[in-house]
């Protein structure tokens, strides 16, 4: 103890430096509202500049509780709450990315020339590898599947077979290229770097003979030794949106110099991936299909993810971007224990996009 606040005299305030944030207050308010009642997080950023327009973590806390001294009862309530309201899930929360990481697997295979978009596999709902069976979310299977359909309908079996054309270090290399396993450099006091396992990591954790190639199948669909933050997912989808511009996310406006680098892929790889994530939202069979967005003037791209969780129901992901005129908005949303990404995270993203760009559903008839 160093004393009691009541025994100290008043300290006069002094004007500080002006701080202008990149936050869009109305968008922030809507994100906060849509996430109420959930455990989860959302990050929305300008894909070109890295400006964070909204960032939210739920449940959270009442800011006024921290403006003066807090009694021990209230602090105990906050600090012991199992929903962890003091934990910033947006930058510190670590989650398996689920099917969203299939985009990395596809990019790695396309870029290395292991497949083209016409390569087809047969999905019967189950895949035998060694002495193990790996399932698809669609128990009856998808039938014949090419790359586009595998992304649009999120077929696991396709990626189990695709990733065998790669090795774990190649997959990890492409994951790091898009910022996974690394800090984004956001101008906040702390963030988590996440994890994307390579051979050295697996050997260290399990021993050289303690893991098998089956681990690669898990990694290909965003399970196993891979953890990401919602902020990293927003950064990843921004790189995809800009076809290679990797810019440092930031909350302070008018920064003179922003760190950026270019991710260089073949033009054909960018085109194929853009076409696929466009169909996820705009094709009636897409896991994030929204009829009003599909008929609107806004071009929306995305990928859903359902991340298995050993402690309960799966986590629901949506990552995507929306383009209109010269503005590109990148979105990352996770709902803890929310089930499938298409059923809960994607509709939240669709609501945000419609509101931000002023889409009136009554003006986009479905017939």
């Amino acid at each position: 103890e160093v004393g009691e606040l009541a025994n100290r005299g008043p300290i006069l305030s002094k004007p500080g430096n002006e701080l202008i944030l990149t936050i869009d207050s109305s968008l922030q308010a809507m994100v906060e509202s849509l996430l109420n009642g959930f455990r989860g997080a959302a990050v929305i950023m300008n894909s070109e500049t890295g400006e964070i327009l909204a960032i939210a973590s739920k449940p959270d806390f009442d800011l006024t509780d921290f403006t003066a001294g807090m009694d021990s009862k209230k602090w105990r309530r906050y600090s012991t709450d199992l929903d962890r309201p003091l934990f910033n899930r947006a930058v510190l929360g670590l989650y398996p990315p689920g099917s969203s990481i299939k985009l990395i697997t596809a990019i790695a295979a396309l870029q290395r020339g292991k497949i083209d978009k016409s390569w087809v596999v047969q999905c019967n709902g189950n895949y035998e590898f060694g002495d193990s069976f790996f399932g698809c979310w669609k128990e009856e299977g998808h039938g014949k599947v090419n790359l586009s359909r595998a992304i649009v309908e999120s077929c696991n079996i396709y990626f189990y077979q695709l990733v065998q054309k790669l090795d774990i270090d190649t997959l990890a290399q492409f994951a790091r290229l898009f910022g996974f396993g690394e800090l984004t450099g956001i101008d906040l006091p702390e963030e988590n770097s996440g994890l994307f396992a390579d051979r050295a990591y697996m050997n260290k954790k399990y021993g050289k003979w303690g893991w098998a190639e089956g681990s690669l199948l898990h990694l290909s669909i965003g399970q196993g030794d891979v953890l990401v933050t919602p902020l990293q997912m927003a950064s990843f989808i921004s790189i995809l949106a800009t076809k290679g511009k990797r810019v440092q996310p930031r909350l302070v406006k008018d920064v003179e110099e922003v760190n950026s680098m270019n991710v260089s892929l073949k033009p054909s790889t960018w085109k194929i991936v853009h076409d696929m994530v466009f169909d996820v939202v705009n094709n009636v069979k897409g896991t994030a299909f929204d009829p009003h967005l599909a008929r609107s003037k806004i071009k929306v791209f995305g990928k859903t993810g359902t991340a298995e969780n050993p402690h309960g129901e799966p986590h629901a992901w949506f990552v995507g971007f929306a383009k209109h005129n010269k503005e590109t908005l990148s979105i990352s949303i996770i709902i803890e224990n929310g089930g499938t990404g298409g059923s809960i995270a994607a509709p939240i993203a669709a609501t945000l996009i419609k509101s931000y760009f002023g889409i009136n559903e009554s003006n986009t008839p479905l017939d």
Side-chain angles (χ1 to χ4, degrees), residues 22-47:
T22 60
I23 294 293
D24 179 314
S25 59
S26 59
L27 184 61
Q28 178 73 29
M30 173 162 276
V31 172
E32 300 267 1
S33 174
L34 290 172
L35 290 185
N36 274 335
F38 295 113
R39 290 193 310 271
V43 179
I44 304 177
M45 61 187 282
N46 183 306
S47 309

Side-chain angles (χ1 to χ4, degrees), residues 250-298:
R250 58 193 173 94
L251 279 158
V252 178
K253 202 169 181 63
D254 299 327
V255 176
E256 292 182 6
E257 185 176 342
V258 179
N259 294 329
S260 65
M261 60 175 284
N262 286 322
V263 176
S264 180
L265 299 180
K266 294 183 290 191
S268 60
T269 300
W270 290 123
K271 184 181 187 315
I272 290 170
V273 175
H274 270 234
D275 288 346
M276 292 189 300
V277 290
F278 181 80
D279 285 344
V280 169
V281 178
N282 296 276
N283 185 312
V284 69
K285 292 186 177 181
T287 54
F289 174 67
D290 185 287
H292 294 286
L293 289 177
R295 289 164 174 79
S296 75
K297 59 188 177 181
I298 315 300

Side-chain angles (χ1 to χ4, degrees), residues 31-43 56-59 89 95-97 230 305-309 312-319 332-349 352:
V31 172
E32 300 267 1
S33 174
L34 290 172
L35 290 185
N36 274 335
F38 295 113
R39 290 193 310 271
V43 179
S57 173
K58 291 289 183 174
R89 289 165 163 84
Y95 307 92
T306 304
E308 295 301 323
N309 167 34
E313 290 297 310
H315 302 318
W317 278 104
F318 175 84
V319 292
S332 163
I333 295 173
I334 185 168
I335 303 298
E336 292 183 11
N337 313 118
T340 65
S343 65
I344 189 165
I348 291 174
L352 289 168

Side-chain angles (χ1 to χ4, degrees), residues 64-367:
T64 59
D65 286 344
F66 290 83
T67 57
M70 181 185 294
D71 63 64
S72 59
K73 184 178 179 181
K74 184 174 288 186
W75 171 251
R76 193 158 49 248
R77 190 173 73 244
Y78 272 131
S79 60
T80 60
D81 190 331
L82 296 179
D83 284 335
R84 305 176 73 189
L86 301 179
F87 181 65
N88 187 346
R89 289 165 163 84
V91 296
L92 295 174
L94 292 173
Y95 307 92
S99 291
S100 304
I101 218 70
K102 290 173 181 174
L103 295 174
I104 295 291
T105 308
I107 287 169
L110 288 167
Q111 192 66 14
R112 289 294 172 90
K114 300 297 183 181
I115 63 162
D116 59 28
K117 61 181 181 180
S118 64
W119 187 68
V120 172
V121 306
Q122 180 72 28
C123 171
N124 297 317
N126 233 325
Y127 180 66
E128 186 176 2
F129 183 80
D131 58 357
S132 300
F133 285 88
F134 295 78
C136 190
W137 67 267
K138 191 173 183 179
E139 293 182 5
E140 68 274 24
H142 289 90
K144 279 191 174 181
V145 184
N146 62 13
L147 179 58
S148 177
R149 190 176 172 210
I151 289 291
V152 172
E153 299 182 39
S154 208
C155 172
N156 291 349
I157 305 300
Y158 186 94
F159 287 92
Y160 293 149
Q161 297 185 57
L162 172 60
V163 79
Q164 292 176 58
K165 296 178 177 291
L166 305 168
D167 60 61
I168 192 169
D169 282 337
T170 299
L171 193 61
Q173 176 189 344
F174 277 90
R176 285 193 292 270
L177 198 61
F178 284 86
F180 294 116
E182 300 176 358
L183 298 175
T184 68
I186 190 172
D187 45 0
L188 286 174
E190 56 183 352
E191 63 168 314
N192 261 327
S193 60
L195 164 70
F196 201 102
D198 56 13
R199 188 175 302 277
Y201 174 88
M202 298 296 279
N203 287 345
K204 183 177 180 180
K205 181 176 180 180
Y206 301 105
K208 188 173 182 180
W209 309 110
W211 62 283
E213 289 299 313
S215 301
L216 188 59
L217 274 63
H218 287 302
L219 286 173
S220 74
I221 63 164
Q223 299 289 162
D225 290 276
V226 50
L227 293 169
V228 302
T229 68
L231 176 63
Q232 285 177 323
M233 293 292 267
S235 179
F236 155 60
I237 208 66
S238 289
I239 299 169
L240 196 61
T242 57
K243 295 185 178 179
K245 185 177 181 181
R246 181 175 167 182
V247 64
Q248 185 176 326
R250 58 193 173 94
L251 279 158
V252 178
K253 202 169 181 63
D254 299 327
V255 176
E256 292 182 6
E257 185 176 342
V258 179
N259 294 329
S260 65
M261 60 175 284
N262 286 322
V263 176
S264 180
L265 299 180
K266 294 183 290 191
S268 60
T269 300
W270 290 123
K271 184 181 187 315
I272 290 170
V273 175
H274 270 234
D275 288 346
M276 292 189 300
V277 290
F278 181 80
D279 285 344
V280 169
V281 178
N282 296 276
N283 185 312
V284 69
K285 292 186 177 181
T287 54
F289 174 67
D290 185 287
H292 294 286
L293 289 177
R295 289 164 174 79
S296 75
K297 59 188 177 181
I298 315 300
K299 288 190 174 183
V300 184
F301 308 70
K303 182 72 187 80
T304 58
T306 304
E308 295 301 323
N309 167 34
H311 306 294
E313 290 297 310
H315 302 318
W317 278 104
F318 175 84
V319 292
F321 57 97
K323 290 186 172 186
H324 182 53
N325 294 331
K326 294 183 178 181
E327 186 172 16
T328 305
L329 206 65
S330 293
I331 299 175
S332 163
I333 295 173
I334 185 168
I335 303 298
E336 292 183 11
N337 313 118
T340 65
S343 65
I344 189 165
I348 291 174
T351 300
L352 289 168
I353 292 167
K354 291 170 190 174
S355 174
Y356 186 80
F357 289 108
I359 298 174
N360 186 341
E361 292 188 356
S362 63
N363 292 334
T364 52
L366 301 182
D367 55 5

